[in-house]
Amino acid sequence: PDAFTYTAVIDAYAKSGYRGAAARADQLLDKMEAEYIAGDTDLKPNTFTYNAVINALAKSGESGAAARAERVLQNMVNRQNTGSNEDVKPTTINFNTVLDAWAKSGGGRAAAERAEEILEWMDRLNSSGNMSVKPDTISFNAVIDAWARSGDKRAPQRAEQILDHMDDLCHSGNKDVKPDTYTYNTL
């Protein structure tokens, strides 16, 4: 089997909805990476492979899935930064999927704070020249959603502050973060 075959199996796990499927997809990625490092160039994971694992984890609802999805994303960023894998390019979509995983993780305030940190990470990457990663309305909505689901007593104020920040960015010309119906409904 090659990377295409592994990616297809990982994607099938991601779409299956079976209990434990996301963990299995994550294990297959780990196996691919180990085999590639050991010299099997046919098993070089690419962006599609990582995307499939992040999606599987984000949709799984499994305990610890958000943190595992974030670890996969961090691996993508590290591989891009080191130039060790030019076939791996994290995008806004990858980050938004991880943000959504944190929002739906049931992790309360810690999950909401982690989502905010990832949003800030996205902004730093974009500001440093990574045009593939740029916070957008979906990114901000996921962070607002994380606060809305957190159950924290300061969640309403924090969500409103994020909305105000979106408005400020939008009014300064960044139309990619224009609040939408979902933004207001989440508040």
Side-chain angles (χ1 to χ4, degrees), residues 116 119 140-141 144 155-172 174 177-180 183-184 187:
E116 273 197 66
L119 182 65
F140 280 88
N141 285 349
I144 291 171
Q157 292 82 13
R158 194 63 205 120
E160 187 174 357
Q161 289 170 339
I162 294 165
L163 172 63
D164 291 343
H165 182 58
M166 286 178 80
D167 279 333
D168 291 344
L169 289 170
C170 187
H171 288 107
S172 68
N174 185 352
V177 295
K178 183 177 181 182
D180 61 12
T183 310
Y184 293 107
L187 289 172

Short mmCIF file of all heavy atoms in Angstrom, two decimals, residues 116 119 140-141 144 155-172 174 177-180 183-184 187:
data_model
loop_
_atom_site.label_atom_id
_atom_site.label_comp_id
_atom_site.label_asym_id
_atom_site.label_seq_id
_atom_site.Cartn_x
_atom_site.Cartn_y
_atom_site.Cartn_z
N GLU A 116 -9.22 30.24 21.80
CA GLU A 116 -8.71 31.61 21.61
C GLU A 116 -7.22 31.62 21.31
O GLU A 116 -6.75 32.38 20.47
CB GLU A 116 -8.98 32.46 22.85
CG GLU A 116 -10.33 33.11 22.86
CD GLU A 116 -10.43 34.25 23.84
OE1 GLU A 116 -9.75 35.27 23.64
OE2 GLU A 116 -11.21 34.11 24.80
N LEU A 119 -6.71 30.71 17.74
CA LEU A 119 -7.05 31.85 16.89
C LEU A 119 -5.89 32.85 16.86
O LEU A 119 -5.53 33.36 15.78
CB LEU A 119 -8.33 32.52 17.40
CG LEU A 119 -8.85 33.70 16.60
CD1 LEU A 119 -9.29 33.26 15.21
CD2 LEU A 119 -10.01 34.36 17.34
N PHE A 140 -13.60 32.87 13.99
CA PHE A 140 -14.14 33.63 15.12
C PHE A 140 -15.42 33.01 15.66
O PHE A 140 -15.63 32.95 16.87
CB PHE A 140 -14.37 35.09 14.70
CG PHE A 140 -13.12 35.92 14.72
CD1 PHE A 140 -12.30 35.99 13.60
CD2 PHE A 140 -12.75 36.62 15.85
CE1 PHE A 140 -11.15 36.76 13.60
CE2 PHE A 140 -11.59 37.39 15.87
CZ PHE A 140 -10.79 37.47 14.74
N ASN A 141 -16.28 32.53 14.75
CA ASN A 141 -17.52 31.89 15.20
C ASN A 141 -17.24 30.66 16.06
O ASN A 141 -17.94 30.41 17.04
CB ASN A 141 -18.38 31.50 14.00
CG ASN A 141 -19.08 32.68 13.36
OD1 ASN A 141 -19.08 33.79 13.90
ND2 ASN A 141 -19.65 32.46 12.19
N ILE A 144 -16.29 31.88 19.50
CA ILE A 144 -17.50 32.35 20.20
C ILE A 144 -18.33 31.15 20.64
O ILE A 144 -18.84 31.10 21.76
CB ILE A 144 -18.31 33.31 19.30
CG1 ILE A 144 -17.56 34.64 19.12
CG2 ILE A 144 -19.71 33.56 19.88
CD1 ILE A 144 -18.15 35.57 18.08
N ALA A 155 -18.41 33.91 30.13
CA ALA A 155 -18.55 33.57 28.70
C ALA A 155 -19.29 34.64 27.91
O ALA A 155 -18.85 35.02 26.82
CB ALA A 155 -19.21 32.21 28.53
N PRO A 156 -20.41 35.17 28.41
CA PRO A 156 -21.12 36.18 27.61
C PRO A 156 -20.26 37.42 27.34
O PRO A 156 -20.25 37.92 26.21
CB PRO A 156 -22.34 36.54 28.48
CG PRO A 156 -22.54 35.35 29.35
CD PRO A 156 -21.17 34.80 29.61
N GLN A 157 -19.54 37.88 28.35
CA GLN A 157 -18.69 39.05 28.16
C GLN A 157 -17.55 38.75 27.19
O GLN A 157 -17.21 39.57 26.33
CB GLN A 157 -18.11 39.54 29.50
CG GLN A 157 -19.13 40.11 30.45
CD GLN A 157 -19.87 39.03 31.25
OE1 GLN A 157 -19.49 37.86 31.28
NE2 GLN A 157 -20.98 39.43 31.88
N ARG A 158 -16.97 37.57 27.33
CA ARG A 158 -15.85 37.20 26.46
C ARG A 158 -16.33 37.08 25.01
O ARG A 158 -15.67 37.54 24.08
CB ARG A 158 -15.22 35.89 26.94
CG ARG A 158 -13.90 35.60 26.35
CD ARG A 158 -12.86 36.67 26.74
NE ARG A 158 -11.83 36.69 25.72
CZ ARG A 158 -11.52 37.75 24.95
NH1 ARG A 158 -12.12 38.89 25.11
NH2 ARG A 158 -10.60 37.64 24.03
N ALA A 159 -17.48 36.46 24.80
CA ALA A 159 -18.03 36.32 23.45
C ALA A 159 -18.31 37.69 22.84
O ALA A 159 -18.04 37.92 21.66
CB ALA A 159 -19.31 35.47 23.49
N GLU A 160 -18.84 38.60 23.67
CA GLU A 160 -19.12 39.95 23.16
C GLU A 160 -17.82 40.69 22.81
O GLU A 160 -17.76 41.41 21.81
CB GLU A 160 -19.91 40.76 24.20
CG GLU A 160 -20.37 42.09 23.66
CD GLU A 160 -21.27 42.85 24.61
OE1 GLU A 160 -21.61 42.32 25.69
OE2 GLU A 160 -21.63 43.99 24.27
N GLN A 161 -16.77 40.48 23.58
CA GLN A 161 -15.47 41.10 23.27
C GLN A 161 -14.93 40.58 21.93
O GLN A 161 -14.38 41.34 21.14
CB GLN A 161 -14.46 40.82 24.38
CG GLN A 161 -14.75 41.56 25.66
CD GLN A 161 -13.87 41.09 26.82
OE1 GLN A 161 -13.32 40.00 26.80
NE2 GLN A 161 -13.76 41.94 27.84
N ILE A 162 -15.12 39.31 21.69
CA ILE A 162 -14.67 38.73 20.42
C ILE A 162 -15.48 39.30 19.27
O ILE A 162 -14.93 39.64 18.21
CB ILE A 162 -14.75 37.18 20.48
CG1 ILE A 162 -13.74 36.66 21.52
CG2 ILE A 162 -14.48 36.57 19.11
CD1 ILE A 162 -13.95 35.22 21.93
N LEU A 163 -16.79 39.44 19.47
CA LEU A 163 -17.64 40.07 18.45
C LEU A 163 -17.17 41.51 18.18
O LEU A 163 -17.06 41.92 17.02
CB LEU A 163 -19.10 40.08 18.88
CG LEU A 163 -20.05 40.87 17.98
CD1 LEU A 163 -20.11 40.28 16.57
CD2 LEU A 163 -21.44 40.92 18.60
N ASP A 164 -16.88 42.25 19.23
CA ASP A 164 -16.39 43.63 19.06
C ASP A 164 -15.09 43.65 18.26
O ASP A 164 -14.89 44.51 17.40
CB ASP A 164 -16.19 44.32 20.41
CG ASP A 164 -17.50 44.60 21.13
OD1 ASP A 164 -18.57 44.58 20.48
OD2 ASP A 164 -17.45 44.84 22.36
N HIS A 165 -14.22 42.68 18.54
CA HIS A 165 -12.95 42.59 17.80
C HIS A 165 -13.22 42.28 16.32
O HIS A 165 -12.60 42.88 15.44
CB HIS A 165 -12.05 41.53 18.44
CG HIS A 165 -10.72 41.39 17.80
ND1 HIS A 165 -9.83 42.43 17.70
CD2 HIS A 165 -10.11 40.33 17.21
CE1 HIS A 165 -8.74 42.02 17.08
NE2 HIS A 165 -8.89 40.74 16.78
N MET A 166 -14.18 41.40 16.06
CA MET A 166 -14.56 41.10 14.67
C MET A 166 -15.05 42.36 13.97
O MET A 166 -14.65 42.66 12.85
CB MET A 166 -15.69 40.04 14.62
CG MET A 166 -15.28 38.64 14.92
SD MET A 166 -16.70 37.52 14.89
CE MET A 166 -16.90 37.26 13.12
N ASP A 167 -15.93 43.11 14.67
CA ASP A 167 -16.45 44.36 14.11
C ASP A 167 -15.33 45.34 13.80
O ASP A 167 -15.32 45.96 12.74
CB ASP A 167 -17.46 45.01 15.07
CG ASP A 167 -18.85 44.40 14.99
OD1 ASP A 167 -19.21 43.87 13.90
OD2 ASP A 167 -19.57 44.46 16.00
N ASP A 168 -14.39 45.47 14.73
CA ASP A 168 -13.25 46.38 14.52
C ASP A 168 -12.45 45.97 13.30
O ASP A 168 -12.09 46.81 12.47
CB ASP A 168 -12.34 46.41 15.75
CG ASP A 168 -12.99 47.07 16.96
OD1 ASP A 168 -14.00 47.78 16.79
OD2 ASP A 168 -12.46 46.86 18.08
N LEU A 169 -12.16 44.68 13.18
CA LEU A 169 -11.39 44.19 12.03
C LEU A 169 -12.16 44.43 10.73
O LEU A 169 -11.58 44.86 9.72
CB LEU A 169 -11.08 42.69 12.19
CG LEU A 169 -10.06 42.32 13.25
CD1 LEU A 169 -10.03 40.82 13.46
CD2 LEU A 169 -8.67 42.84 12.87
N CYS A 170 -13.45 44.16 10.77
CA CYS A 170 -14.28 44.32 9.57
C CYS A 170 -14.34 45.79 9.15
O CYS A 170 -14.17 46.11 7.97
CB CYS A 170 -15.68 43.78 9.84
SG CYS A 170 -16.73 43.75 8.38
N HIS A 171 -14.52 46.67 10.11
CA HIS A 171 -14.60 48.10 9.81
C HIS A 171 -13.26 48.68 9.35
O HIS A 171 -13.22 49.70 8.67
CB HIS A 171 -15.15 48.89 11.00
CG HIS A 171 -16.60 48.67 11.21
ND1 HIS A 171 -17.09 47.92 12.25
CD2 HIS A 171 -17.68 49.07 10.49
CE1 HIS A 171 -18.41 47.87 12.17
NE2 HIS A 171 -18.80 48.54 11.11
N SER A 172 -12.16 47.98 9.70
CA SER A 172 -10.85 48.45 9.25
C SER A 172 -10.49 47.86 7.88
O SER A 172 -9.38 48.05 7.40
CB SER A 172 -9.77 48.13 10.29
OG SER A 172 -9.56 46.74 10.37
N ASN A 174 -11.05 44.38 6.83
CA ASN A 174 -10.92 42.93 6.73
C ASN A 174 -12.31 42.31 6.64
O ASN A 174 -12.91 41.95 7.64
CB ASN A 174 -10.14 42.38 7.93
CG ASN A 174 -9.89 40.89 7.82
OD1 ASN A 174 -10.41 40.22 6.93
ND2 ASN A 174 -9.07 40.37 8.71
N VAL A 177 -13.70 38.66 8.11
CA VAL A 177 -14.18 38.39 9.46
C VAL A 177 -15.49 39.11 9.76
O VAL A 177 -15.81 39.39 10.91
CB VAL A 177 -13.11 38.75 10.54
CG1 VAL A 177 -11.90 37.87 10.40
CG2 VAL A 177 -12.74 40.21 10.47
N LYS A 178 -16.25 39.35 8.74
CA LYS A 178 -17.54 40.02 8.93
C LYS A 178 -18.50 39.11 9.70
O LYS A 178 -18.76 37.98 9.30
CB LYS A 178 -18.15 40.37 7.57
CG LYS A 178 -19.43 41.14 7.68
CD LYS A 178 -19.96 41.53 6.31
CE LYS A 178 -21.25 42.33 6.49
NZ LYS A 178 -21.82 42.70 5.21
N PRO A 179 -19.03 39.59 10.83
CA PRO A 179 -19.99 38.76 11.57
C PRO A 179 -21.18 38.39 10.69
O PRO A 179 -21.62 39.19 9.86
CB PRO A 179 -20.42 39.68 12.72
CG PRO A 179 -19.30 40.65 12.88
CD PRO A 179 -18.76 40.86 11.49
N ASP A 180 -21.68 37.18 10.87
CA ASP A 180 -22.81 36.71 10.07
C ASP A 180 -23.94 36.26 11.00
O ASP A 180 -23.86 36.42 12.22
CB ASP A 180 -22.38 35.61 9.09
CG ASP A 180 -21.82 34.38 9.78
OD1 ASP A 180 -21.94 34.25 11.02
OD2 ASP A 180 -21.24 33.53 9.08
N THR A 183 -22.86 34.07 13.78
CA THR A 183 -22.18 34.81 14.84
C THR A 183 -23.21 35.31 15.85
O THR A 183 -23.07 35.10 17.07
CB THR A 183 -21.42 36.02 14.27
OG1 THR A 183 -20.61 35.61 13.16
CG2 THR A 183 -20.54 36.67 15.32
N TYR A 184 -24.23 35.99 15.37
CA TYR A 184 -25.22 36.58 16.26
C TYR A 184 -26.10 35.53 16.94
O TYR A 184 -26.47 35.69 18.10
CB TYR A 184 -26.08 37.61 15.50
CG TYR A 184 -25.25 38.80 15.07
CD1 TYR A 184 -24.91 38.98 13.74
CD2 TYR A 184 -24.79 39.72 16.01
CE1 TYR A 184 -24.14 40.07 13.34
CE2 TYR A 184 -24.02 40.80 15.63
CZ TYR A 184 -23.70 40.97 14.30
OH TYR A 184 -22.93 42.04 13.91
N LEU A 187 -24.29 34.08 19.93
CA LEU A 187 -24.30 34.97 21.09
C LEU A 187 -25.62 34.84 21.82
O LEU A 187 -25.73 34.97 22.98
CB LEU A 187 -24.09 36.42 20.66
CG LEU A 187 -22.69 36.75 20.16
CD1 LEU A 187 -22.67 38.16 19.60
CD2 LEU A 187 -21.67 36.64 21.30
#
